[in-house]
Each structure stands twice: as C-alpha cells, then as structure tokens.
Amino acid sequence: MFVEDINRKINGVVKVDEDENKVLEQELNEYVITRELKRHFADFFNTYAEAFDEPTADTGVWISGFFGSGKSHFLKMLSYLLENKEVNGIRTVERFRKKFEDDPGTFMQVDRATKGETETILFNIDYEGSINKDKTAVLRVFAKVFYNHLGFFGSNLKVAMLEQYITQQGKMDEFCRLIEEKKGKPWTEVRKAFAFNGKFIKPALAEALDISEEDANNWFNDKSATELSVSQLVEDINAYVSTKPANFRLLFMVDEVGQYVGTDTDMLLNLQSLVEKIGSECRGKVWVVCTGQEAIDEIIKVRADEFSRIQARFKTRLSLSSSSVDEVIQKRILKKTPEAERTLDAVYEKESSGMRNLFSFTNAMPDIKGFSGPAQFAEDFPFVPYQFLIMQKIFVEIRKHGNAGKHFSGGERSMLSGFQEAAQKVEKQNEFALVPLFRFYDTVHSFLDGSIRNVIDRCSKAVENHDGLEPMDVDVLKLLYLIRYVNEDIPANLDNLVILMADDIRLEKVAMREKLRGSLDRLIGQNYIGRTGDTYNFLTDEEQDI
C-alpha cells in the first residue's frame, strides 16, 4: 500500500550533532519542504545574500517553534545547504534542486550563497554547555566550539590558548612530534589528561618554544582560571575569517538556545554582547543562527528595554508552526502507491456517509473532525485528520506534565516516529482499518513518569491475572491518559471515546458504546479512573489515594 517500506528506519528526531553518512543521506533526500518552510528558506537566503553586497551588523537569526515544528531539522538542513556538504558523492545543493523546482528564485539565491567557501559550526548548546551555568556560560560554549573547530582543545581553555600560541609561533608540528616521542601517544590523546602529563608536556614546551624549563613549569602549574572576554573571542574569530577569501562565511548554528538561556538575565546579556560584538566587528562574515521554543520577543518581554539591542541584532526571525507536520508525515510515511489510492477512493465512495456519522464529535473544538473528501482519506489513511492536530497537543502536554525528567523534552520522541510506530501496528490489516488513538501511548510509555506507568502496568497485570478486568480496559485506560490534558479540545465523554477507540471505518457505534460503557464501569470500580458529570478522567497513583 505504501510507496516506502513502513518498517524502514527513520530518524524520528533530528539531532544536530548526528553525522553518520547513511542517516544524513536519508535525512537530506526525504526532507520535506512544506509551503511554510519555502517561505522561511526564501526569507533567510534573501537576507543572507544581501550581506555579500552590503556588509551588515545584523547577522543574528532566530528560529522559533514549539515541539514538533521541525526547527532543529530546519537548522541542520540550513547548515548542510550553506556548507554545500558532500554526502556520498552528491552535494547538498544538488539534492535540494528538485525540492525548489516550483520556486526557481529562491533556489537561485541558495545557489549563489553557496558558491563561496562556507564553514558552519552546528551544535546543541545544552549538550556542549557546562552543567554549572554562570553569567559567562554562553561565551564559554561559543569559545569551546570555536576552538574545537580550529582543531584546538576547546573543552579546556587553558590548553586551547596554549595550542593557539604554539600555532602562531609556527611550532605546533614540532610540539606534537616531541609529545609523541616522549609519551608514545599523539597530542590529541595526551591533552585530554593534560593535568596528569606534566612530565612530558613541560620539556616538550621548553624545547619547542625555546623557553626555560622554569617558564614552562610556571605556566603548567598556574592554577588561576583562564579568563576570556567577549572582545578577545570575537577578535580571534575575526582573525580567523580574515585569513579566508573575501566571500568566506562562518556560521554558528546553535540549537535550543532559548531553552538554555531561559529568562536568566546574565546569560541573556552575555548572548546580547556576543552577538552584538560579532555583528559590529565581523560585518556580515560571521552569523549566529539560534533556535528556541519561543520567539525572541517572548523571552525578553519582561525586560524589553534592557534587551532592545538583542532584538535589533536578531533581525531575521523565522517562526515555525506545527501546522505542516501532517504534510511531512503524509510524504515521508503515508505516501500511497497508485493502486492503493484507487482502492481507497473506492472505499471512500462506498463508506463516506458512514464515516461522516462515525466522526461526529460531541462538544469538541470545530477543527476536531474526520475526512473532508476522498483525497484526504487516501492521504491520511490509516489515520484520521483530527489525530494529527490532537497528537501535537498531546505531545506538548506530556512534555509539560507527564514525563520523567529531560528525556522526553530532549526530543527522543517525535510526531514522525509516533505515527510510524502506530501505523506499523495495523500494517497487516485491510483497507477499512483505522489506528485508534490509544496506539500512540506505546510510543511515549518509556518516557513517562513512574506514577503514570505504574497505573497502566498494574492494570495490565490485573488483566493477566483475570482480576476483574478485560484486555480492552487497558486500551481505554491508555486513551484516557493521552487525552487527560486536552479535554477542552475533546471532552472525554462516552460518545467521543467511542470515536477515539474506532479501529475500523465500518464501526457499529451502538455496539461499541455498550462495550465501552462496560469497560469504563470496570475501571471506575477498581479506582483506575474517575468521573465528573458525563466525562471520565485518568487517575495517577497519587490521585487514586485521595
């Protein structure tokens, strides 16, 4: 039925530091440029291209978007486009030529912007940053990744500064040769345990730089912290780009800055100073592209006066919505073969009136609905349009309320992998099958807080032990957990629960209603769920004890 193998490995969540060729090739080939993304590519490349003709200090770009909007993916694709990275013999710009077939103007800007030499430093600031954040935390992360980019040991600024000095003296090869001669290991290994290798480093330093052993000893034993200012780092960055051709560009592409900085005044000031200094000193040759869940205006709104300059520097602001996630899922996972499309068209024609009746929700939001016609049925099958919308909200709410620490918020689960795993559960069924909403529970189970998992697990054990519950009851309980935080969109009344449990477009609602009523009564009887008026709700361990 599907054009692509539904069981193929898909990298559901894009990690900006992932660099395996096979994974990259799939990401680049399957990247879906939605209508919204086309606008963002156009806005970015128009601004970026202008700086080649007219030097600018406004080289900050802020990409905002909540979970599932694809901001990390967009950042990574921008990085590979700008660098025109070659993956398995094909350059990225060539892979994107087809994707811009209907927008030659934007592709021309992309092509032009990637003609010159470009280097990108792509990283997640949360992964690279220190656990102990202070007022210079942002500066130190930028310094770390920049010196790493130059081949120095950015994790230890004292060592990085030493390497920089030795390189400026033209003695780096000699120093490395001496270290390997004395220690029997390459410098790149020795520097990781720098503090424990003094007896090899000190004589090598003295010999390579032609300084006294006392001076080498004093430097090595100096325990004072290595100070680094914004000015000094930007001076080093500017010195580096000055050694390159006139059309060279360097971009810091930083994921999750908004989450890392939060509303911490010191770190915001640190970011502002850094971006401002890079802009004024490097004049369009160095760019800083950041992502955050919130728009830059939202982050600084409490103290807008103090941070007005950061807004000016992040002049290019691209806001990604989650509205096009269904387009990505349809194209990457659910694309049908021509034969399957014909089959589904025939099914819709025969069953359309039954489906209109099936997906008539009670007191739900107007956009919670079924299929608009045969084309949407063929595109979305075996899912229903409301599921794309409601699952985005469910994922966001689970991140806020129901997950165990950072794992889920780090993005190990995504809409893409959630829909793929749910579709796999019904792949052997016929053209009338639907994916009931409870199927999505298994895609988030391992990331949920223990107080939630315990309830579901205990219910499953009660079914296994024939302790007054039936298999369907576990599925109903999973469903009630998923919609626990979206009851304003879909109230958990009996009529709506019947629709959410539908696993076939020919479902007999009256029969299902009675089965479901029995299941709900059993779950209430054993205190797994509660009831308020005509709506039902999942109870956590703590709530069951009240």
Side-chain angles (χ1 to χ4, degrees), residues 431-446:
E431 65 271 24
F432 300 101
L434 291 173
V435 175
L437 197 69
F438 73 80
R439 291 283 184 202
F440 288 94
Y441 173 83
D442 293 340
T443 73
V444 298
H445 172 82
S446 59

Side-chain angles (χ1 to χ4, degrees), residues 257-448:
V257 174
Q259 187 177 318
Y260 185 76
V261 170
T263 53
D264 186 295
T265 305
D266 288 331
M267 286 203 283
L268 277 167
L269 282 169
N270 200 212
L271 177 65
Q272 177 172 275
S273 303
L274 186 58
V275 175
E276 196 170 22
K277 192 73 172 169
I278 286 173
S280 61
E281 296 294 318
C282 303
R283 304 297 298 163
K285 286 181 173 291
V286 180
W287 289 66
V288 178
V289 186
C290 299
T291 74
Q293 286 196 15
E294 296 179 292
I296 189 79
D297 323 52
E298 287 296 308
I299 290 175
I300 66 166
K301 69 179 175 186
V302 185
R303 308 178 71 166
D305 295 343
E306 194 173 350
F307 297 107
S308 57
R309 297 201 315 275
I310 202 170
Q311 277 185 294
R313 287 297 168 252
F314 284 105
K315 212 168 190 176
T316 306
R317 298 176 209 164
L318 310 174
S319 177
L320 275 64
S321 70
S322 300
S323 62
S324 53
V325 72
D326 52 346
E327 195 180 335
V328 175
I329 291 166
Q330 285 157 1
K331 289 181 177 173
R332 287 196 70 183
I333 299 173
L334 303 178
K335 192 171 174 58
K336 313 296 189 304
T337 63
E339 186 185 350
E341 284 181 352
R342 286 191 293 274
T343 302
L344 292 170
D345 280 349
V347 169
Y348 186 84
E349 192 175 334
K350 184 182 173 190
E351 305 287 345
S352 57
S353 61
M355 282 195 276
R356 273 194 297 274
N357 175 53
L358 174 58
F359 297 112
S360 50
F361 290 91
T362 305
N363 299 327
M365 296 292 278
D367 49 2
I368 302 295
K369 53 194 174 188
F371 304 101
S372 60
Q376 190 176 42
F377 178 64
E379 272 184 343
D380 290 354
F381 181 86
F383 298 100
V384 188
Y386 80 83
Q387 291 175 325
F388 295 98
L389 183 71
I390 208 68
M391 279 311 300
Q392 288 175 51
K393 294 184 178 183
I394 287 170
F395 268 88
V396 169
E397 292 302 324
I398 288 175
R399 295 174 89 230
K400 282 187 204 165
H401 303 286
N403 69 83
K406 271 179 77 172
H407 304 295
F408 190 77
S409 60
E412 278 80 356
R413 296 288 82 188
S414 78
M415 291 283 289
L416 195 64
S417 54
F419 273 80
Q420 185 189 26
E421 287 167 27
Q424 287 166 352
K425 301 265 175 50
V426 300
E427 67 171 315
K428 291 188 168 43
Q429 296 182 31
N430 61 28
E431 65 271 24
F432 300 101
L434 291 173
V435 175
L437 197 69
F438 73 80
R439 291 283 184 202
F440 288 94
Y441 173 83
D442 293 340
T443 73
V444 298
H445 172 82
S446 59
F447 297 95
L448 297 178

Side-chain angles (χ1 to χ4, degrees), residues 33-50 74 78 81 100 103-110 316 318:
I33 300 182
T34 61
R35 289 180 291 279
E36 179 184 70
L37 285 175
K38 273 202 173 75
R39 288 199 307 276
H40 292 322
F41 274 111
D43 289 346
F44 173 81
F45 278 102
N46 285 338
T47 306
Y48 184 74
E50 280 172 12
F74 180 61
L78 261 185
L81 257 181
F100 284 102
D103 190 0
T106 299
F107 185 76
M108 196 165 70
Q109 293 284 40
V110 172
T316 306
L318 310 174

Side-chain angles (χ1 to χ4, degrees), residues 26-96:
Q26 185 190 30
E27 276 182 29
L28 291 166
N29 288 344
E30 295 188 13
Y31 187 61
V32 176
I33 300 182
T34 61
R35 289 180 291 279
E36 179 184 70
L37 285 175
K38 273 202 173 75
R39 288 199 307 276
H40 292 322
F41 274 111
D43 289 346
F44 173 81
F45 278 102
N46 285 338
T47 306
Y48 184 74
E50 280 172 12
F52 283 91
D53 304 319
E54 191 68 44
T56 178
D58 301 329
T59 53
V61 179
W62 191 274
I63 302 166
S64 60
F66 284 101
F67 177 79
S69 61
K71 60 185 182 300
S72 297
H73 208 170
F74 180 61
L75 182 76
K76 191 172 187 179
M77 293 302 110
L78 261 185
S79 168
Y80 287 121
L81 257 181
L82 288 161
E83 222 171 33
N84 203 6
K85 191 178 178 77
E86 188 176 298
V87 180
N88 292 339
I90 303 172
R91 292 212 167 267
T92 303
V93 171
E94 280 311 305
R95 290 183 190 274
F96 272 67

Side-chain angles (χ1 to χ4, degrees), residues 98-271:
K98 258 191 176 177
K99 300 180 196 289
F100 284 102
E101 268 177 342
D102 58 348
D103 190 0
T106 299
F107 185 76
M108 196 165 70
Q109 293 284 40
V110 172
D111 201 30
R112 180 193 171 204
T114 54
K115 292 289 187 215
E117 186 188 345
T118 305
E119 292 172 11
T120 63
I121 304 175
L122 178 67
F123 63 100
N124 183 311
I125 194 166
D126 211 23
Y127 298 165
E128 297 291 346
S130 166
I131 295 168
N132 302 315
K133 299 177 186 176
D134 61 19
K135 60 176 68 175
T136 63
V138 175
L139 168 67
R140 283 186 287 106
V141 180
F142 271 72
K144 174 185 173 181
V145 297
F146 173 65
Y147 293 124
N148 280 345
H149 184 72
L150 300 190
F152 303 147
F153 193 49
S155 297
N156 184 324
L157 284 180
K158 176 173 178 170
V159 178
M161 298 289 109
L162 171 70
E163 291 172 315
Q164 185 184 39
Y165 178 74
I166 298 173
T167 301
Q168 287 166 350
Q169 303 307 306
K171 300 289 187 180
M172 197 63 199
D173 288 344
E174 173 69 1
F175 176 70
C176 290
R177 184 189 64 76
L178 288 166
I179 288 289
E180 191 147 8
E181 188 180 278
K182 296 174 190 298
K183 174 72 176 177
K185 288 184 178 178
W187 167 242
T188 49
E189 288 295 314
V190 173
R191 69 186 183 183
K192 290 176 188 172
F194 168 79
F196 301 102
N197 283 295
K199 72 173 185 176
F200 308 109
I201 293 170
K202 288 186 280 190
L205 261 182
E207 191 174 334
L209 294 176
D210 194 20
I211 58 175
S212 68
E213 284 192 19
E214 186 184 354
D215 285 344
N217 204 43
N218 289 341
W219 179 87
F220 187 88
N221 293 328
D222 182 3
K223 295 290 187 277
S224 58
T226 305
E227 294 296 327
L228 182 72
S229 66
V230 167
S231 294
Q232 187 183 342
L233 175 61
V234 175
E235 190 179 309
D236 285 353
I237 292 169
N238 208 10
Y240 175 67
V241 298
S242 298
T243 64
K244 302 286 184 178
N247 63 352
F248 172 81
R249 294 290 180 270
L250 175 68
L251 293 97
F252 290 88
M253 310 199 75
V254 202
D255 202 19
E256 297 295 3
V257 174
Q259 187 177 318
Y260 185 76
V261 170
T263 53
D264 186 295
T265 305
D266 288 331
M267 286 203 283
L268 277 167
L269 282 169
N270 200 212
L271 177 65

